[in-house]
Every structure is written in structure tokens, then in C-alpha cells.
């Protein structure tokens, strides 16, 4: 038996041609008959760090009876010079979330995965209180169950008012221990519908750790706070 939540998330490897660049996380989102990969925008392009991959690879389970078997699916990020992924902005500015539609025909017929859907999104930001327990599902520093090709989870709590966009931007804060490689991971809360096939609510997309510019590196520990973009942007990007 495997928890369905672990099958929602995949390792994302970025490349410039055949040259490997970075590790990250991503998850599957289904809308109607369409299938999408969701990750952080800076995983696909990041001008400040001069990160310009032209393709990614994701890992897929291809044997329902044996999770040690998997294949890598290569996805080009540009077609005729135009990006195949979509990102958005709101009144607070750019949003660090990107989606890529996946060609179902390119997936093996025996593919094993779980998808979030619009039903997993919250109807209102007021449904969640500060301090609510969460999970962040991903691949910190690329670490994972390499035998069964599964992510790990970190415990987190909501660290800012969920009903208010933090400092007016389209994200909220989480308190969790995170690392590079977790970018693009789903931030989830246990759903009251415990009998559902995937009993979780998708609250956000983990992007980055937060820190204070003036922190004394010798005296002060890192804040341990993180930025998670509200998941409702996915509906806009998959419309």
C-alpha cells in the first residue's frame, strides 16, 4: 500500500540540452481531461541566477505492481522560440508558479500517478487559521526514496494570516525546515473528507526560504520561514 499523496509529486530535473542544471519538485494537476505539471517559475527560468534550461525531465512510475520501476519523461520548454509553460501575475506582481501541459499520449499506458484537481482547492482563504498543520511534499536537495522513486514530506504550519496576502503579495508564510530542491512542492492540509481517494486540500506551491538581509550570520539562526504561493493561481493558468 502506498499513500496517494506521495504519488502526486515528482522530481524535476532541469537541463540545458544534455547538461544537467538543477533539481526541484513538481506535482500533477488534472482539469477535465487535461494533465498539467505544476512547479515554481524560477525552476524553469531565473534571470538573476542566469538559470535558463531548455528542457526538464520528470520521473514516472510505470508498473502498478512494482514501484521500483520508473521511466524519465523529457519535456521541452520551448517550441519555435516560445515557452510552452505558463505563469501569471496579479495586483501584487509576478507569481512564482508555472504550469506545463503534459501530452497524455507521451505517458506509458501503465503510468501510476495521482492528481490534484480543482476540487482540492479551497473555496475561501478564511477556511484556514494561522498555526494550521501542513505537509510539504518534495525532494529536498534531491533527497528521496531512490529505490521506490518517492518524495519525502516535511511538517509545517501556517505562519502568517492565511486570509491576508503577506505584505500584499500572492503568498503566505509557512514555518518548516526546507532546502533547495523543494521549490515547486505542493503545500497541503488534511481534508475533512477522510474517505476521499486523495484526502488533502492543496493550499499552495512552495517557492523559497525567507530570511532577513541584516541577519548576523554568526549570531542569528535562519528564520525557518518559507514563501508559499496560493494554489488558486493554478486555475487561472490552466483555464
Amino acid at each position: 500500500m502506498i499513500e496517494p499523496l506521495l504519488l502526486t509529486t515528482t522530481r524535476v530535473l532541469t537541463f540545458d540540452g544534455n547538461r544537467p542544471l538543477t533539481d526541484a519538485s513538481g506535482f500533477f494537476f488534472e482539469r477535465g481531461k487535461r494533465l498539467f505539471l505544476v512547479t515554481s517559475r524560477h525552476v524553469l527560468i531565473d534571470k538573476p541566477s542566469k538559470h535558463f534550461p531548455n528542457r526538464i525531465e520528470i520521473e514516472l512510475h510505470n508498473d502498478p505492481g512494482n514501484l521500483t520501476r520508473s521511466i524519465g519523461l523529457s519535456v521541452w520548454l520551448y517550441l519555435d522560440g516560445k515557452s510552452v509553460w505558463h505563469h501569471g501575475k496579479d495586483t501584487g506582481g509576478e507569481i512564482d508558479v508555472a504550469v506545463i501541459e503534459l501530452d497524455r499520449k507521451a505517458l506509458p499506458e501503465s503510468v501510476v500517478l495521482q492528481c490534484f484537481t480543482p476540487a482540492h482547492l479551497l473555496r475561501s482563504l478564511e477556511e484556514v487559521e494561522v498555526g494550521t498543520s501542513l505537509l510539504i511534499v518534495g525532494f529536498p536537495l534531491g533527497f528521496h526514496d531512490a529505490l521506490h522513486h518517492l518524495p519525502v514530506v516535511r511538517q509545517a504550519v501556517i505562519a502568517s494570516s492565511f486570509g491576508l496576502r503577506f505584505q500584499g503579495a500572492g503568498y503566505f508564510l509557512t514555518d518548516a525546515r526546507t532546502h533547495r530542491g523543494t521549490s515547486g512542492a505542493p503545500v497541503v492540509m488534511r481534508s475533512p473528507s477522510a474517505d476521499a481517494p486523495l484526502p488533502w486540500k492543496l493550499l499552495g506551491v512552495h517557492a523559497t526560504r525567507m530570511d532577513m538581509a541584516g541577519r548576523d550570520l554568526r549570531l542569528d539562526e535562519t528564520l525557518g520561514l518559507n514563501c508559499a504561493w496560493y494554489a488558486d493561481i493554478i486555475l487561472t493558468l490552466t483555464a
Side-chain angles (χ1 to χ4, degrees), residues 15 18 23 27 29 41 49 53 63 66 70 90 92 112 121-122 146 152 167 181 184 192-193 210 212 232:
F15 293 83
N18 292 322
D23 282 30
F27 59 93
F29 189 86
R41 178 178 181 269
S49 65
D63 187 339
N66 185 356
S70 71
D90 62 11
V112 182
L121 302 178
L122 296 176
V152 296
Q167 300 197 64
S193 303
M210 307 289 284
M212 294 292 291
D232 58 2

Side-chain angles (χ1 to χ4, degrees), residues 5 36 49 67 104 136 139 144 151 160 164 171 178 181-182 201-202 208 211 216 220:
L5 180 63
F36 299 88
S49 65
L67 291 181
R104 287 188 180 273
I136 301 176
F139 297 81
H144 63 295
S160 64
L164 295 175
Y171 61 82
T178 61
T182 313
K201 287 294 184 180
L202 178 62
T208 186
D211 208 350
D216 188 307
D220 303 320

Side-chain angles (χ1 to χ4, degrees), residues 193-215:
S193 303
D195 58 342
L198 186 61
W200 298 89
K201 287 294 184 180
L202 178 62
L203 270 60
V205 182
H206 171 83
T208 186
R209 290 172 291 178
M210 307 289 284
D211 208 350
M212 294 292 291
R215 178 173 64 86

Side-chain angles (χ1 to χ4, degrees), residues 41-60:
R41 178 178 181 269
H42 73 261
V43 170
L44 306 183
I45 185 171
D46 188 49
K47 294 180 180 179
S49 65
K50 298 182 180 179
H51 175 64
F52 301 109
N54 62 5
R55 71 180 181 93
I56 60 171
E57 287 186 7
I58 60 175
E59 197 168 28
L60 299 170

Side-chain angles (χ1 to χ4, degrees), residues 21-22 36 43 58 79 124 131 134 137 142 147 163 185 190-191:
L21 298 177
T22 60
F36 299 88
V43 170
I58 60 175
L79 179 63
S124 169
L134 309 171
V137 190
L147 175 62
R190 189 72 177 183
S191 171

